[in-house]
């Protein structure tokens, strides 16, 4: 039987082609993928010496050449690589240390590898695992042959709704998944891709970095990848599309909140987005009004009306489950709001005030099957998937599959016309007085108020069976009375559109709501911080 093609096989093939990779924070000139492959040979020798053949290493994934070399080199050494997030926004040093200690306890790595800029901070945490830098890892013996056969990758779920879990993937599964993505998007000759997404998680690492590198294989001809750091995007979201314009980018990806940020913070000069053919949208529930707002804002900059490609995925599937191919306009469906509250869906007329517009997230990727639990076609149910790229196992907890071997996600949706509609996560459903309220719907309403910092509000359940909304103010040094007035206006808007008032609407200190490194909200951590009194409240409304 022929051995399965691994992502390492595909990267090695790309190293013989003409593709390039460019880390903008380090170089203004692109580097051949061959340089990355050569550097990874030195990292492979180092990992063999320090972790042993088929060992385990942990890495704090940073957007730099050293991380990429170490990751590939560790796989060439047969090692299992566990990916850790860099420090996230709103995370204290104490909490970050606990996060690393918990992750290392799950992985049991021989060492922890970090970007040199993080070394002193990581060493100050006084971890039990030895800490080395990527620069040190690239000093190994490049003449040592690749070794081992058990290389794996462990990525941790984003932790937006619960404690992160370790998801173990095979290199053959990752390889198959990158090819499936390329089959769906069909990049053109000499395509340039760009990403600001963190390399610590699937959308940035597998969806953009590894898939773009694989696209440079001799079969796919040339491909060029430009990488921004996530912190540069979060500091000024406009750099994303400015870079897309500067480098003539054809493929990029982002979660929905990124579109909302750049729709409100427009560039000061004209951009050329005419070459942008594929902008994959995933990581959170896509909303039609946000997609339209982005298209309207950037149409005059050359953005095509078929560039947006809604998708659905999760770490357990390696990354993508469904994806709307490029050159096809995205679509949506209006469904009855009352039916949604009952756990069913039914199309309704556009003028219906109780309706909700749902974005369709494309058909399944090649090799992926999707179904929805339910007794009838109109039921909204738990999304289940079957794929050769599914996780091998969880680290530290049992993997439970259905009787016929499918993976049951924590997401709710339905399938219509071959496309998947995602309603939200089971974790995001707030059950208030027997009615299902989607936290994302509440947050969308709150986000629209001018007093709220964009993308910085979180709806969380309370101990008394109600829910609360935590918000960051749009401006610093706000007056308490102004915050109370704003909260009163927001409460009225929520009641009007959702029908159930929150128990409290409280403004908290700017920058204190917990988010992942890519900027996604961590609802469970916000609820925990509120319950423990760890969030500094500035003012708002609360009912007795």
């Amino acid at each position: 039987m022929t051995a399965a093609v691994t992502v390492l096989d595909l990267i090695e093939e790309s190293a013989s082609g003409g593709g390039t990779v460019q880390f903008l924070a380090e170089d203004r000139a692109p580097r051949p993928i061959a340089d990355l492959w050569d550097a990874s040979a030195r990292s492979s020798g180092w990992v063999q010496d320090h972790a042993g053949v088929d060992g385990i290493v942990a890495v704090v994934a940073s957007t730099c050449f050293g991380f990429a070399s170490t990751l590939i080199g560790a796989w060439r050494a047969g090692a299992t690589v566990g990916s850790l997030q860099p420090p996230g926004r709103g995370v204290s040093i104490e909490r970050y240390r606990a996060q690393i200690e918990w992750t290392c306890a799950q992985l049991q790595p021989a060492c922890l590898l970090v970007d040199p800029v993080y070394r002193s901070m990581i060493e100050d945490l006084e971890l039990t695992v030895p800490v080395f830098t990527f620069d040190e890892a690239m000093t190994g013996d490049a003449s040592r042959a690749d070794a081992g056969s058990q290389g794996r990758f462990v990525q941790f779920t984003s932790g937006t709704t619960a404690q992160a879990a370790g998801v173990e993937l095979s290199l053959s599964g990752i390889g198959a998944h990158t090819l499936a993505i390329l089959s769906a998007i069909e990049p053109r000759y000499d395509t340039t891709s760009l990403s600001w997404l963190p390399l610590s998680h699937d959308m940035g690492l597998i969806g953009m970095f590894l898939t773009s590198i694989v696209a440079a294989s001799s079969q796919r001809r040339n491909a060029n990848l430009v990488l921004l750091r996530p912190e540069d995007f979060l500091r000024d979201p406009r750099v994303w599309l400015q870079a897309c314009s500067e480098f003539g980018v054809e493929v990029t990806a982002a979660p929905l909140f990124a579109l909302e940020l750049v729709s409100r913070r427009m560039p000061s000069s004209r951009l050329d987005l005419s070459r942008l053919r594929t902008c994959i949208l995933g990581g959170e529930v896509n909303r039609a009004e946000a997609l339209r707002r982005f298209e309207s804002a950037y149409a005059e900059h050359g953005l095509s009306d078929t560039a947006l490609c809604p998708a659905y995925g999760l770490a357990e599937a390696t990354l993508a489950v469904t994806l709307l191919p490029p050159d096809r306009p995205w679509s949506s469906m209006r469904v009855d709001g009352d039916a949604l509250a009952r756990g069913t869906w039914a199309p309704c007329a556009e003028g219906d005030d109780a309706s909700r517009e749902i974005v369709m997230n494309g058909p399944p990727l090649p090799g992926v099957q999707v179904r929805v639990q339910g007794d009838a076609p109109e039921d909204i149910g738990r999304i289940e998937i079957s794929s050769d790229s599914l996780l091998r196992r969880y680290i530290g907890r049992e993997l439970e599959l259905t009787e016929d071997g499918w993976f049951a996600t924590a997401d709710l949706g339905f399938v219509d016309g071959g496309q998947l509609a995602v309603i939200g996560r089971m974790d995001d459903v707030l059950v208030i007085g027997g009615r299902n309220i989607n936290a994302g719907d509440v947050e969308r309403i709150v986000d629209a108020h001018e007093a709220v910092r964009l993308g910085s509000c979180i709806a969380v359940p309370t101990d008394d069976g109600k829910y609360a909304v935590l918000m960051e103010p749009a401006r610093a040094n706000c007056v308490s009375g102004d915050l109370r007035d704003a909260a009163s206006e927001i409460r009225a808007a929520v009641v009007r559109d959702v029908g159930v008032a929150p128990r409290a609407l409280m403004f908290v200190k700017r920058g204190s709501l917990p988010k992942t490194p890519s900027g996604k909200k961590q609802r469970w951590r916000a609820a925990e911080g509120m319950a423990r009194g760890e969030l500094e409240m500035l003012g708002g409304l609360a009912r007795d």
Side-chain angles (χ1 to χ4, degrees):
M1 181 180 293
T2 304
V5 175
T6 72
V7 70
L8 270 183
D9 299 325
L10 297 170
I11 295 172
E12 183 177 16
E13 183 182 347
S14 294
S16 63
T20 63
V21 60
Q22 185 171 359
F23 296 87
L24 283 183
E26 299 177 329
D27 302 298
R28 290 302 297 183
R31 302 178 68 167
I33 293 173
D35 286 0
L36 182 58
W37 185 254
D38 290 344
S40 73
R42 298 191 294 274
S43 297
S44 174
W46 188 95
V47 171
Q48 291 181 53
D49 287 338
H50 289 77
V53 174
D54 296 339
I56 302 175
V57 297
V59 293
V60 175
S62 303
T63 307
C64 63
F65 185 88
F67 162 72
S69 165
T70 301
L71 173 71
I72 297 170
W75 283 340
R76 293 177 67 174
T80 292
V81 180
S83 174
L84 283 68
Q85 296 179 351
R89 175 189 171 198
V91 177
S92 66
I93 291 296
E94 293 76 16
R95 186 178 288 276
Y96 186 61
R97 174 183 176 175
Q99 177 182 326
I100 290 186
E101 287 180 335
W102 178 87
T103 306
C104 288
Q106 305 299 308
L107 291 170
Q108 295 294 306
C111 58
L112 173 63
L113 291 151
V114 302
D115 189 310
V117 300
Y118 289 127
R119 180 169 195 163
S120 60
M121 186 198 77
I122 298 294
E123 287 182 331
D124 287 344
L125 300 181
E126 298 181 351
L127 303 171
T128 56
V129 60
V131 178
F132 300 94
T133 68
F134 300 141
D135 291 348
E136 290 174 297
M138 288 191 290
T139 63
D141 182 1
S143 66
R144 294 191 62 171
D146 291 354
S149 59
Q150 301 301 315
R152 302 282 183 264
F153 180 61
V154 178
Q155 62 176 350
F156 287 83
T157 55
S158 62
T160 54
T161 57
Q163 175 65 271
V167 173
E168 184 180 280
L169 306 172
S170 69
L171 298 192
S172 59
I174 295 174
H177 202 73
T178 60
L179 294 177
I181 293 173
L182 291 172
S183 177
I185 68 175
E186 296 183 334
R188 297 167 177 166
Y189 174 79
D190 206 21
T191 290
T192 296
S193 303
L194 180 141
S195 176
W196 57 266
L197 297 166
L199 298 185
S200 56
H201 198 46
D202 51 5
M203 196 170 177
L205 180 68
I206 297 170
M208 290 305 300
F209 177 72
L210 291 176
T211 299
S212 298
I213 297 294
V214 169
S217 69
S218 59
Q219 292 179 334
R220 301 277 174 180
R221 300 184 180 179
N222 292 346
N224 310 290
L225 172 63
V226 180
L227 292 169
L228 294 162
R229 299 180 305 176
E231 54 264 40
D232 293 332
F233 169 82
L234 295 174
R235 188 178 302 114
D236 183 359
R238 291 173 294 186
V239 301
W240 172 34
L241 296 182
Q242 288 168 346
C244 286
S245 174
E246 177 184 351
F247 292 98
V249 168
E250 295 181 43
V251 180
T252 190
L256 187 71
F257 82 88
L259 263 62
E260 296 181 301
L261 288 175
V262 295
S263 296
R264 293 194 185 185
R265 298 187 63 181
M266 296 288 292
S268 56
S269 58
R270 185 173 180 82
L271 305 180
D272 180 7
L273 301 179
S274 60
R275 296 194 64 185
L276 184 56
R277 175 174 174 257
T278 307
C279 180
I280 301 171
L281 301 176
E284 55 184 309
V285 177
N286 290 309
R287 298 199 307 273
E289 66 270 22
L291 272 61
R292 291 197 190 94
R293 195 157 44 239
F294 177 79
E295 287 179 325
S296 175
Y298 287 93
E300 65 181 63
H301 295 272
L303 180 71
S304 166
D305 60 3
T306 60
L308 298 185
C309 301
Y312 164 75
L314 64 161
E316 288 87 347
T318 298
L319 172 60
V321 173
T322 67
L323 169 63
L324 181 70
D327 302 323
R328 290 172 54 182
W330 62 272
S331 61
S332 63
M333 176 187 294
R334 286 201 171 271
V335 296
D336 182 80
D338 292 334
L340 284 181
R342 296 191 301 269
T344 62
W345 68 277
C348 66
E350 184 173 345
D352 189 334
D353 292 339
S355 69
R356 178 178 167 191
E357 189 174 12
I358 306 296
V359 171
M360 309 305 290
N361 292 283
L365 285 183
V368 180
Q369 295 177 283
V370 179
R371 69 187 185 191
V372 172
Q373 289 180 359
D375 297 325
E378 64 271 16
D379 286 345
I380 292 170
R382 195 171 185 175
I383 299 169
E384 297 180 341
I385 57 175
S386 175
S387 166
D388 291 338
S389 299
L390 276 177
L391 75 163
R392 291 170 51 86
R393 66 184 180 108
Y394 279 119
I395 303 296
R397 84 178 192 210
E398 191 73 21
L399 171 61
E400 297 181 1
L401 301 177
T402 64
E403 290 184 358
D404 52 352
W406 287 56
F407 178 80
T409 75
D411 298 309
L412 300 170
F414 63 88
V415 176
D416 183 67
Q419 293 198 55
L420 178 67
V422 181
I423 302 299
R425 290 184 60 86
M426 294 169 64
D427 321 64
D428 291 349
V429 175
L430 305 169
V431 182
I432 312 297
R435 178 177 177 141
N436 295 334
I437 304 297
N438 188 279
D441 289 344
V442 175
E443 292 166 357
R444 171 180 52 83
I445 298 165
V446 176
D447 230 3
H449 197 280
E450 61 182 4
V452 179
R453 190 179 189 184
L454 182 62
S456 297
C457 64
I458 301 181
V460 298
T462 55
D463 292 338
D464 59 356
K466 308 295 184 182
Y467 75 100
V469 179
L470 303 172
M471 311 164 286
E472 293 182 12
R475 298 177 301 278
N477 303 319
C478 291
V479 178
S480 177
D482 292 340
L483 295 179
R484 183 176 178 83
D485 291 343
S488 180
E489 293 172 0
I490 293 168
R491 182 180 183 276
V494 170
V495 171
R496 181 173 61 249
D497 287 9
V498 175
V500 180
R503 171 76 172 73
L505 295 108
M506 298 300 297
F507 284 93
V508 299
K509 182 181 177 182
R510 284 169 59 95
S512 64
L513 288 181
K515 296 183 179 181
T516 69
S518 65
K520 292 165 64 176
K521 304 169 185 177
Q522 292 184 302
R523 186 169 288 110
W524 72 278
R525 185 162 282 165
E528 184 180 85
M530 180 181 69
R532 294 180 177 178
E534 296 173 347
L535 296 173
E536 182 180 339
M537 303 293 178
L538 303 178
L541 288 176
R543 292 184 295 171
D544 294 331

